[in-house]
Amino acid sequence: MKNLLLIITILCACSYAQEEIPDDKNTNLTFTERAKDLVSHLTLEEKIAQMCSWAPDVKRLGLPAFSYQGEALHGLAEAGHGKLMQATSFPTSITMGSTWDPDLMEEVATAISDEARAAYNMGEMDISFWSPTINMLRDPRWGRNDEAYSEDPYLMSKMAVAFVKGLQGTHHKYLKTIASPKHFVANNSEYNRHDGNSEVTERWLREYYFPAYKACFQEGGAYATMCAYNRLNGVPACCNEWLLTTVLRDEWGFDGYVVTDCGAILDIFANHNYVETPEEASALAVKAGCDLNCGNIYVEALGKAVEKGLVTEKDFDVALEKMFVGRLKLVLFAPEDEFPYSDFPPEIIEIKKHQDLALRAAQESLILLKIDIFLPLSKELKSIAVIGPNANRCVL
């Protein structure tokens, strides 16, 4: 009888061991606890590789590859695999700003994230987006004025928060997608794009350039942001500790991750001449609070930076934990019966409801300038010619 009880006890213990769930997949733990466990199993080389915006898989951990490189300013623009997406094209951001309607903006962003989830469920794309653009529209010569909403910080803030909420969703636990307001901060000059210095007083930063970002994080809950190419008062934005840690994290309570604009780490040493080597630039950026690199510099330089004592593996852990919390909130290792966005079908992409919404948004944005010579147009006109290289071209 004793032998029988012993056998039963052993079998029960074996069964329990087999059913034990690894911490990174244990949904009873917090996202932070799960992310810490996941990072603890990565080698140094794997950690550095995960700090690239095209993160490779780690098969032994069941960790799939992931692209952080999506764009969704006014519809899905790229799948992260080098191809354009079939998706509803909504009016551009500057056009949406003309509606003065945050509720409409959130409705549009919700439609975009619906289509993003459908594309993700089809295996067509990942769901981290470098949107919205919220650089202040101060100079008509800037080449990206169409990407942002306004020159007014109040309107910019309201539209940006609405976009973030629509993109990330309202679920209490999971994110529908990740929004990354950009380019942080004081970045709207074209001719010195990679080596410019924005000299801005702190009062002007806090009253004009910061409000839309602060609102996106504190009101909208944006989980990521992109740092800019330019220097801010002499210090490159992507290695500016005052900007990325003191203000963003310590003052505003931001707990997500920061990604570079593409090639910004190279700019730190090659164009700004702020330091002499890619190892110094990469180490400064990571320690300042720049977690993720769009480009290859982190992958090429961070290992050498560790050897030189410029940065530690613990610094990488801090960065990676934020990124993995984001991925866990999106979908990583989430059980199907718990996750709310797994049933978005392919048919939702470009449905009539979204096309009608795009038309309504365009109609709400119209502003009529009365010019007595030309306007209003005669009701006797039978046709109107639209002429030029883009007359019959839709560009995302």
Side-chain angles (χ1 to χ4, degrees):
M1 186 66 175
K2 290 182 179 179
N3 290 338
L4 179 60
L5 289 173
L6 179 62
I7 292 171
I8 292 173
T9 302
I10 292 172
L11 289 174
C12 288
C14 291
S15 175
Y16 177 79
Q18 290 173 355
E19 293 175 1
E20 187 174 354
I21 302 171
D23 282 354
D24 61 343
K25 299 177 180 64
N26 186 349
T27 56
N28 292 319
L29 299 177
T30 67
F31 287 126
T32 300
E33 290 170 332
R34 294 169 62 190
K36 285 180 180 292
D37 181 75
L38 185 56
V39 171
S40 72
H41 290 93
L42 296 171
T43 66
L44 176 61
E45 292 75 16
E46 288 169 341
K47 290 177 182 179
I48 292 172
Q50 290 296 314
M51 295 173 73
C52 175
S53 59
W54 178 249
D57 62 9
V58 182
K59 289 184 173 60
R60 64 186 179 81
L61 299 178
L63 182 66
F66 188 80
S67 171
Y68 293 86
Q69 299 182 173
E71 297 279 4
L73 285 170
H74 60 102
L76 305 182
E78 189 184 338
H81 305 287
K83 64 179 180 179
L84 294 177
M85 288 296 300
Q86 174 183 329
T88 305
S89 180
F90 293 91
T92 59
S93 301
I94 195 170
T95 307
M96 290 302 301
S98 297
T99 68
W100 287 76
D101 191 341
D103 291 338
L104 179 59
M105 181 75 266
E106 185 170 352
E107 196 174 343
V108 166
T110 298
I112 293 171
S113 59
D114 285 353
E115 296 194 1
R117 268 291 163 184
Y120 175 84
N121 293 340
M122 295 162 58
E124 291 290 324
M125 69 184 306
D126 289 312
I127 41 180
S128 168
F129 295 111
W130 293 345
S131 308
T133 297
I134 54 174
N135 296 114
M136 305 305 297
L137 303 184
R138 301 215 50 208
D139 189 336
R141 295 170 297 179
W142 187 44
R144 305 181 74 163
N145 279 306
D146 64 301
E147 293 187 16
Y149 305 109
S150 178
E151 73 279 12
D152 175 72
Y154 180 80
L155 177 59
M156 181 78 88
S157 299
K158 292 299 183 182
M159 298 299 284
V161 167
F163 182 93
V164 168
K165 287 182 176 179
L167 206 63
Q168 293 197 157
T170 57
H171 194 269
H172 68 282
K173 182 175 181 180
Y174 289 105
L175 294 173
K176 196 175 182 185
T177 72
I178 287 177
S180 310
K182 62 182 184 183
H183 311 78
F184 193 50
V185 66
N187 175 262
N188 52 4
S189 177
E190 204 66 35
Y191 79 96
N192 58 353
R193 182 177 177 84
H194 290 278
D195 61 3
N197 180 37
S198 300
E199 292 282 352
V200 189
T201 65
E202 186 169 346
R203 177 176 177 176
W204 196 234
L205 282 170
R206 292 187 180 277
E207 292 185 358
Y208 190 73
Y209 288 100
F210 279 173
Y213 288 97
K214 184 178 181 181
C216 277
F217 306 131
Q218 293 190 340
E219 298 176 38
Y223 192 75
T225 190
M226 176 181 281
C227 53
Y229 286 131
N230 55 282
R231 279 170 284 152
L232 177 65
N233 298 327
V235 183
C238 288
C239 66
N240 192 315
E241 186 174 0
W242 178 80
L243 183 66
L244 301 183
T245 297
T246 302
V247 173
L248 181 62
R249 299 187 189 283
D250 296 344
E251 291 187 19
W252 297 350
F254 175 72
D255 62 356
Y257 61 82
V258 176
V259 59
T260 73
D261 204 343
C262 296
I265 303 300
L266 182 147
D267 288 340
I268 293 172
F269 67 90
N271 295 315
H272 293 300
N273 299 312
Y274 191 71
V275 294
E276 295 183 355
T277 67
E279 292 83 12
E280 292 173 290
S282 299
L284 274 180
V286 171
K287 291 193 292 185
C290 185
D291 310 298
L292 182 64
N293 176 222
C294 176
N296 297 317
I297 300 297
Y298 273 8
V299 174
E300 296 169 358
L302 283 179
K304 297 176 184 177
V306 171
E307 294 174 2
K308 293 180 178 180
L310 299 173
V311 69
T312 69
E313 189 171 349
K314 177 59 179 175
D315 294 318
F316 303 160
D317 293 349
V318 172
L320 287 165
E321 285 164 12
K322 302 167 200 164
M323 290 185 281
F324 280 121
V325 166
R327 289 179 62 180
L328 288 165
K329 286 185 174 184
L330 282 177
V331 69
L332 183 63
F333 303 145
E336 288 188 14
D337 61 347
E338 179 178 310
F339 196 71
Y341 304 118
S342 58
D343 58 350
F344 282 70
E347 293 76 20
I348 202 171
I349 297 176
E350 286 196 297
I351 58 174
K352 188 176 186 303
K353 176 183 176 182
H354 291 173
Q355 294 174 348
D356 290 344
L357 177 61
L359 176 61
R360 177 160 64 90
Q363 291 169 337
E364 292 293 327
S365 72
L366 293 178
I367 299 173
L368 178 63
L369 300 177
K370 183 176 180 181
I371 305 175
D372 290 334
I373 300 174
F374 303 107
L375 299 175
L377 296 173
S378 171
K379 294 181 180 180
E380 296 179 1
L381 289 174
K382 301 300 182 184
S383 62
I384 298 175
V386 180
I387 299 171
N390 295 319
N392 192 31
R393 185 180 176 211
C394 179
V395 180
L396 285 173

